[in-house]
Amino acid sequence: MKTTKIYLSVLMFLAALSLVSCTKDKLVGDWEKMVWKADSPVQATNGIYNVSANGATLVFSCSNYSSPWFADAIENGKHINTEFKNFQGEIFEATIQGNKLSVTFKANTDTSVRETSISVTAGDIFYTFRFKQFAN
């Protein structure tokens, strides 16, 4: 009887171990980095995209994730409440359709530079776009 309980316990342990070791779910750190490319030429300095004082629409495509969504946005140091696929700040609006991110900046009529960042996610992977809009 005691041998049967030990045998049953070992069998249950091995069954549980086999389920854990065969998972196909990605673990933290296993996600492939998001790869984004600007659909039209845009100048960047030190990883920050430059935006004309006149405003502009910038479009980016993600080549390795098909449907990212917004995680966070900061406009001139203030957090903006983002929606899943589109939102509007005071100085720009952004949308995601499929693997394409479109960001439209309004004209900057101020004498100060505007700084914006937009973070997107596709699960446990994130990517942050940083923008600097020149002063008028």
Side-chain angles (χ1 to χ4, degrees):
M1 179 104 170
K2 196 172 192 180
T3 305
T4 305
K5 286 183 179 179
I6 292 173
Y7 175 73
L8 194 56
S9 296
V10 170
L11 186 61
M12 288 175 53
F13 174 75
L14 291 174
L17 184 62
S18 70
L19 291 174
V20 171
S21 64
C22 293
T23 183
K24 292 184 180 182
D25 292 339
K26 293 192 180 279
L27 302 174
V28 174
D30 286 346
W31 291 72
E32 185 178 336
K33 291 183 179 181
M34 296 179 102
V35 178
W36 289 90
K37 177 184 96 142
D39 286 1
S40 57
V42 58
Q43 184 182 24
T45 307
N46 297 325
I48 300 172
Y49 294 101
N50 298 316
V51 180
S52 165
N54 296 328
T57 297
L58 305 175
V59 179
F60 302 89
S61 296
C62 184
S63 62
N64 59 339
Y65 289 93
S66 62
S67 189
W69 61 91
F70 293 114
D72 189 33
I74 299 174
E75 184 177 72
N76 286 329
K78 297 178 188 173
H79 281 274
I80 300 172
N81 291 331
T82 60
E83 299 291 327
F84 186 66
K85 292 286 186 177
N86 58 50
F87 67 93
Q88 186 167 350
E90 291 180 19
I91 62 175
F92 73 98
E93 63 182 56
T95 60
I96 293 179
Q97 292 181 346
N99 70 332
K100 292 199 180 278
L101 165 67
S102 177
V103 186
T104 301
F105 289 89
K106 299 175 184 175
N108 185 358
T109 57
D110 295 337
T111 57
S112 58
V113 172
R114 295 174 170 173
E115 295 182 1
T116 303
S117 68
I118 299 171
S119 295
V120 294
T121 184
D124 283 345
I125 190 70
F126 294 86
Y127 188 92
T128 299
F129 292 89
R130 289 180 170 71
F131 302 95
K132 177 175 78 173
Q133 186 176 19
F134 297 105
N136 192 358

